[in-house]
Amino acid sequence: MTMESSSKLQFSHIGLYVSDLARMAAFYKQALRFTQTDAGDLGTVQLVFLSRDPAEHHQLVLATGRPAEPGFNVVNQISFRVPDIATLREFHDRLLAHGAQDMHPVTHGNAVSVYCRDPEGNRLELFMDTPWYCEQPLREPIDLGQPDEAILAQAEAIAKRHARFMSRAQWQAEVARRMQEDQQRG
């Protein structure tokens, strides 16, 4: 595989097995404002396709067939980026209004996040990037009731306490260099 072809790989979408298709589709459409792009049956499986990007037919597909006792779920979380704290607060409130559970606002230093569970227990993360990088993992509670400036100041102070603090731009340049080296090794 050449560097050129390997750099064209992009993540597109995720599919979840669900127990209550109508309830789950309503949650994602109402709480996170996904648009249903298609729905139908594939044999005995019913599918709902959802997207927030007109260039992507679907970013999330919900499929019937989740067993009553699925055991361990190998999907750790589904994460969504937002542009700013105001939008993060808006979705925090929407998620609560539409039945999200186990809500945790946190900072990772490099991001401010809200974690919660959808109606069937899948973990969601909504986050906004900060202008900083610090070594991960890092997760500390944060109060979304504070003014934006206070939240960002707290996130920066927490990030500065941890190893390898730098600007996001510096970190991205370093990672881009490492990725290029990885692709050249082939």
Side-chain angles (χ1 to χ4, degrees):
M1 182 180 298
T2 68
M3 187 172 84
E4 184 177 308
S5 64
S6 63
S7 66
K8 293 180 182 176
L9 180 68
Q10 295 180 343
F11 181 77
S12 171
H13 60 273
I14 189 167
L16 295 176
Y17 283 112
V18 301
S19 298
D20 186 335
L21 186 63
R23 180 178 182 210
M24 291 292 281
F27 175 82
Y28 283 94
K29 290 189 289 187
Q30 294 167 4
L32 296 179
R33 300 206 173 186
F34 273 85
T35 296
Q36 183 172 318
T37 59
D38 266 317
D41 298 342
L42 186 61
T44 60
V45 176
Q46 296 171 311
L47 301 165
V48 172
F49 298 91
L50 303 165
S51 187
R52 289 185 47 97
D53 181 349
E56 293 285 343
H57 174 267
H58 60 281
Q59 295 171 302
L60 177 64
V61 61
L62 304 175
T64 59
R66 181 176 179 155
E69 297 296 326
F72 185 79
N73 183 350
V74 298
V75 176
N76 176 273
Q77 68 192 38
I78 305 168
S79 299
F80 303 94
R81 180 179 282 116
V82 298
D84 52 41
I85 293 173
T87 306
L88 190 63
R89 274 194 201 95
E90 176 189 336
F91 278 108
H92 172 273
D93 295 346
R94 291 185 64 77
L95 286 160
L96 282 174
H98 291 283
Q101 300 291 318
D102 198 23
M103 190 72 67
H104 298 280
V106 302
T107 182
H108 299 293
N110 65 351
V112 175
S113 301
V114 170
Y115 287 90
C116 65
R117 301 273 176 183
D118 74 12
E120 293 193 2
N122 299 297
R123 186 163 69 155
L124 306 178
E125 176 194 23
L126 282 78
F127 71 96
M128 60 147 286
D129 291 320
T130 67
W132 316 289
Y133 167 80
C134 62
E135 195 167 82
Q136 299 296 311
L138 165 63
R139 180 176 163 154
E140 293 195 23
I142 200 155
D143 179 3
L144 286 181
Q146 299 179 84
D148 294 6
E149 301 77 27
I151 292 171
L152 289 174
Q154 182 181 0
E156 182 179 16
I158 289 168
K160 282 182 174 178
R161 291 194 318 246
H162 290 78
R164 298 185 57 219
F165 175 80
M166 65 183 80
S167 74
R168 178 172 293 277
Q170 288 172 297
W171 178 81
Q172 287 174 329
E174 180 183 313
V175 170
R177 179 191 52 75
R178 289 184 4 231
M179 286 179 178
Q180 186 174 22
E181 289 173 2
D182 287 348
Q183 296 303 321
Q184 289 171 344
R185 280 188 223 120

